[in-house]
């Protein structure tokens, strides 16, 4: 039995991973995995909340897992799997759907942003997405969920649902009097957001988050972009009026480049700014491009190597799913029991 706290996080295999997914999420998972009992997975069930073709989904799912490994996730230390290999995620999602309210789910900012392009035909899956995410987390009694800033609201919804269900099905769970404490139905997870880099911005519109499914390919640095593409994209990044390199609210484009540099080199932003005194935006772009090339190149090369070895990826996923399924089956049986479902014989 491990005494480590449990940590869980995931990426949607909707497209190739971006430097935003890396800095806001996967890079931190790799550093933290030694200290936690970790579950990392590709949320393929989430990815179909916006339609895509079967070959694309399959390829992106493998690519997501290969990228995880290339970014330093270790299949010997962490449980790596694919969401659809553990059917309990969908089962618990239905249970939570019956306890969530339309009002609280419709307040989710990401839903408002992502549904805007669908007019009157918003897929229900897009609406229910945060409830499935809550199931992903609550299924494993998770302590910590490292995410980018855009997902904080979803972790807060997860906490609200867990507290609601604990109060209903395990009343007294949170008693401050230790003699009254009962085991809760669900552990209440905490979000973890990096102090810097929790929201890397689009290179073409620095007021908008960099997203892997942005239609404008120049807006996004993918973790398998060529060196030339990275250089071109960073050099054509939209910057701000003026010419002084400062970290200021009215210079979101410059701030984004400074953030990329700072997270990837470990240098504090004021030190980077000081080094550019009297220099032009062009200098900042050239250096940022070189730093991004150095960070992305090994990830790209290792991802390509792993993508050519499907047998190995399948082996990693099989082991991960077996481990995750054991934990998930125990949890769902406990939840069903507390809710009054007749046990399977
Ligand atoms: N730009 C970003 N900066 C920092 N962190 C980010 N994340 C995403 N974009 C940035 C974090 O990456 C993790 C995985 O994200 P996801 O795939 O589950 O969904 P998302 O937040 O919707 O990411 P994308 O890239 O914008 O995907 P699409 O385009 O498919 O919707 C999360 O921890 C997220 O916060």
């Amino acid at each position: 039995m491990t005494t480590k706290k449990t940590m869980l996080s995931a990426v949607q295999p909707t497209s190739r991973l971006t430097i935003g997914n890396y800095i806001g999420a996967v890079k931190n998972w790799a550093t933290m995995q030694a200290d936690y009992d970790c579950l990392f997975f590709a949320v393929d069930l989430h990815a179909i909340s916006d339609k895509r073709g079967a070959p694309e989904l399959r390829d992106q799912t493998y690519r997501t897992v290969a990228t995880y490994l290339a970014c330093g996730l270790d299949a010997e230390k962490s449980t790596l799997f694919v969401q659809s290999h553990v059917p309990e995620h969908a089962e618990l999602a239905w249970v939570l759907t019956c306890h969530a309210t339309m009002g609280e789910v419709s307040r989710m900012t990401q839903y408002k942003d992502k549904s805007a392009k669908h007019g009157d035909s918003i897929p229900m899956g897009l609406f229910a997405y945060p409830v499935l995410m809550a199931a992903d987390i609550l299924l494993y009694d998770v302590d910590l969920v490292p995410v980018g800033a855009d997902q904080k609201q979803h972790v807060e919804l997860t906490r609200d649902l867990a507290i609601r269900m604990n109060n209903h099905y395990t009343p007294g769970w949170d008693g401050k009097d230790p003699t009254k404490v009962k085991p809760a139905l669900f552990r209440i997870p905490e979000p973890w957001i990096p102090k810097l880099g929790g929201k890397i911005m689009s290179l073409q519109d620095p007021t908008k988050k960099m997203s892997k499914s942005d239609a404008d390919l120049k807006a996004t640095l993918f973790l398998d972009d060529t060196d030339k593409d990275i250089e071109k994209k960073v050099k054509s990044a939209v910057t701000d009026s003026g010419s002084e390199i400062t970290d200021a609210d009215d210079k979101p484009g410059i701030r984004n480049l400074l953030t990329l540099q700072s997270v990837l080199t470990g240098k504090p932003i004021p030190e980077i700014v000081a080094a550019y005194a009297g220099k032009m935006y062009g200098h900042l772009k050239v250096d940022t491009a070189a730093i991004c090339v150095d960070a992305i190149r090994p990830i790209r090369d290792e991802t390509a190597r792993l993508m050519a070895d499907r047998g190995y990826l399948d082996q990693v996923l099989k082991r991960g799913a077996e481990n995750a399924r054991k934990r998930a089956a125990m949890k769902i049986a406990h939840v069903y029991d507390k809710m009054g479902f007749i046990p399977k014989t």
Side-chain angles (χ1 to χ4, degrees):
M1 262 288 274
T2 174
T3 51
K4 287 179 178 172
K5 289 194 168 185
T6 303
M7 179 169 110
L8 166 147
S9 208
V11 172
Q12 294 187 76
T14 39
S15 181
R16 298 172 288 148
L17 270 67
T18 70
I19 202 152
N21 299 131
Y22 176 63
I23 289 175
V26 189
K27 180 176 184 287
N28 311 309
W29 309 349
T31 326
M32 294 159 91
Q33 72 185 330
D35 301 323
Y36 288 84
D37 163 32
C38 294
L39 298 119
F40 300 121
F41 51 118
V43 284
D44 50 353
L45 295 173
H46 282 278
I48 60 163
S49 61
D50 218 345
K51 280 194 211 77
R52 64 203 61 251
E56 187 195 344
L57 178 63
R58 199 166 293 127
D59 183 71
Q60 295 303 355
T61 306
Y62 275 118
R63 189 172 298 280
T64 299
V65 176
T67 310
Y68 282 178
L69 292 164
C71 291
L73 300 193
D74 183 341
E76 300 297 323
K77 289 189 192 143
S78 300
T79 300
L80 303 186
F81 65 104
V82 169
Q83 187 186 29
S84 63
H85 291 178
V86 185
E88 287 82 1
H89 287 251
E91 285 187 69
L92 186 59
W94 174 250
V95 168
L96 297 179
T97 301
C98 296
H99 292 78
T101 68
M102 300 284 286
E104 66 190 343
V105 180
S106 46
R107 281 197 290 276
M108 296 295 112
T109 315
Q110 202 180 67
Y111 165 69
K112 288 187 205 161
D113 292 346
K114 290 193 175 180
S115 59
K117 68 170 184 195
H118 290 278
D120 288 338
S121 309
I122 302 168
M124 268 181 65
L126 208 53
F127 183 71
Y129 174 108
V131 182
L132 176 58
M133 178 167 160
D136 297 338
I137 298 168
L138 298 181
L139 203 46
Y140 298 99
D141 285 325
V142 166
D143 297 286
L144 201 69
V145 189
V147 283
D150 60 321
Q151 296 288 348
K152 182 166 180 261
Q153 206 185 15
H154 293 166
V155 182
E156 280 161 2
L157 175 73
T158 303
R159 290 168 57 87
D160 291 346
L161 288 173
I163 291 169
R164 188 173 309 154
M165 290 196 62
N166 284 352
N167 285 335
H168 191 78
Y169 295 104
T170 49
W173 66 280
D174 195 21
K176 297 283 180 273
D177 174 354
T179 58
K180 275 180 25 196
V181 173
K182 286 188 193 169
L185 187 60
F186 293 120
R187 187 166 299 170
I188 311 298
E190 294 284 343
W192 182 93
I193 296 165
K195 285 199 178 69
L196 189 67
K199 195 169 184 183
I200 299 296
M201 309 310 270
S202 152
L203 296 177
Q204 288 300 307
D205 176 358
T207 61
K208 215 176 81 178
K209 184 182 83 113
M210 183 183 284
S211 254
K212 63 176 116 61
S213 45
D214 195 321
D216 181 355
L217 297 182
K218 292 207 302 286
T220 303
L221 288 182
F222 294 102
L223 294 180
D224 60 358
D225 273 341
T226 62
D227 293 357
K228 241 198 184 126
D229 282 341
I230 300 165
E231 279 160 12
K232 258 205 256 165
K233 289 184 194 184
V234 177
K235 284 179 191 164
S236 65
V238 169
T239 40
D240 316 289
S241 55
S243 59
E244 201 192 344
I245 296 170
T246 51
D247 177 29
D249 290 346
D250 62 349
K251 294 204 171 194
I254 294 299
R255 173 172 280 169
N256 200 32
L257 299 182
L258 291 169
T259 303
L260 284 169
Q261 279 210 21
S262 176
V263 178
L264 296 175
T265 61
K267 281 189 200 154
I269 287 186
E271 192 184 309
I272 300 171
V273 169
Y276 284 106
K279 294 196 178 159
M280 316 281 284
Y281 287 174
H283 295 114
L284 176 69
K285 287 184 175 179
V286 169
D287 295 345
T288 309
I291 288 165
C292 291
V293 164
D294 285 347
I296 289 177
R297 188 187 293 130
I299 298 174
R300 179 186 65 219
D301 293 350
E302 180 62 1
T303 303
R305 191 188 70 75
L306 288 163
M307 281 299 278
D309 192 352
R310 287 274 165 102
Y312 173 68
L313 295 178
D314 281 330
Q315 202 184 309
V316 165
L317 292 180
K318 182 168 182 286
R319 185 149 45 104
E322 279 166 4
N323 183 5
R325 265 204 306 264
K326 261 189 231 146
R327 298 168 70 154
M330 272 168 56
K331 188 72 195 181
I332 201 87
H334 177 64
V335 172
Y336 279 0
D337 178 54
K338 289 286 175 198
M339 293 180 71
F341 289 105
I342 296 173
K344 287 182 205 147
T345 48

